[in-house]
Amino acid sequence: MRPLDEQETTQVFEKLHKFVGSNLKNIVENPSPDSTPGRYCFRLQRNRVYYVSESLVKRATNIKRDNLVSLGTQIGKFTKGGKFHLTVQCLGLLAAHSKHKVWLKPTSEMSFLYGNNVLKGGVGRITESISEHDGVVVFSMSDVALGFGVATKTTQDCRKMDPNGIVVLHQADIGEYLRMEDDL
């Protein structure tokens, strides 16, 4: 497990900034749950990026790299082409710090959890000031984080759309744990 280099850090922070905006500083300087407050950092292990407290990283130095499977929370992975993709495991982190949110009606939750895009007819609420191509976290009406995606229109344009228009392009959802069970 090694720290991210400059190019990798830039890609990770750009992707996270798309979803959390200025709250990115809160993610890195998040107080550690153990007795001494600390900072969180990002580490790379086998093309996967992990979000882990610095105190846990120090304790993990006693484990050989080949024996270390995971450490902290996986937030994404680098593809063979060098691009960074967020994975569903980072949903808790994004939901806690997101600036753009969409709440789904109960009738359209299952459609989203099966991997479909969010249609305008299924949107219960939407935050103001969403721009096109912003990262959006999708919630149920009872504030349970279901997944995340990318907005296709601004908030004002979404209000004028027909009910079958796509509001959020699906990227990841909690249903992936069941659909990708063999790969995990």
Side-chain angles (χ1 to χ4, degrees), residues 12-178:
V12 170
F13 281 4
E14 283 176 355
K15 187 69 79 164
L16 286 174
H17 186 269
K18 190 176 193 178
F19 286 90
V20 299
S22 60
N23 292 337
L24 186 59
K25 182 179 178 186
N26 297 339
I27 291 174
V28 176
E29 295 178 358
N30 190 10
S32 181
D34 26 3
S35 60
T36 59
R39 294 174 47 136
Y40 276 71
C41 58
F42 298 96
R43 293 291 185 254
L44 184 72
Q45 173 78 8
R46 298 186 184 131
N47 289 336
R48 299 194 187 303
V49 177
Y50 294 93
Y51 177 67
V52 61
S53 69
E54 288 179 345
S55 62
L56 189 58
V57 170
K58 289 177 186 174
R59 286 187 236 144
T61 56
N62 298 333
I63 301 171
K64 292 184 355 185
R65 279 189 184 186
D66 295 339
N67 295 341
L68 188 63
V69 176
S70 175
L71 183 67
T73 304
Q74 179 185 336
I75 62 161
K77 62 182 180 178
F78 284 97
T79 63
K80 291 183 181 181
K83 293 187 177 188
F84 179 71
H85 292 285
L86 292 173
T87 56
V88 70
Q89 292 89 342
C90 75
L91 181 60
L93 184 68
L94 293 180
H97 298 283
S98 67
K99 62 179 184 173
H100 302 303
K101 301 175 183 179
V102 170
W103 288 266
L104 296 182
K105 293 177 183 176
T107 55
S108 63
E109 287 178 15
M110 287 307 292
S111 176
F112 181 74
L113 293 177
Y114 284 133
N116 297 321
N117 297 325
V118 176
L119 302 179
K120 200 258 188 195
V123 174
R125 289 186 302 178
I126 188 169
T127 55
E128 295 295 327
S129 72
I130 293 179
S131 300
E132 193 172 354
H133 305 299
D134 276 347
V136 176
V137 178
V138 178
F139 289 89
S140 69
M141 290 303 277
S142 56
D143 284 334
V144 175
L146 300 176
F148 56 90
V150 177
T152 60
K153 305 276 185 195
T154 63
T155 305
Q156 291 76 21
D157 291 342
C158 289
R159 293 197 173 111
K160 299 172 189 172
M161 292 174 68
D162 65 325
N164 291 329
I166 297 174
V167 176
V168 178
L169 293 174
H170 177 274
Q171 282 192 338
D173 64 82
I174 57 177
E176 286 182 22
Y177 285 117
L178 298 174

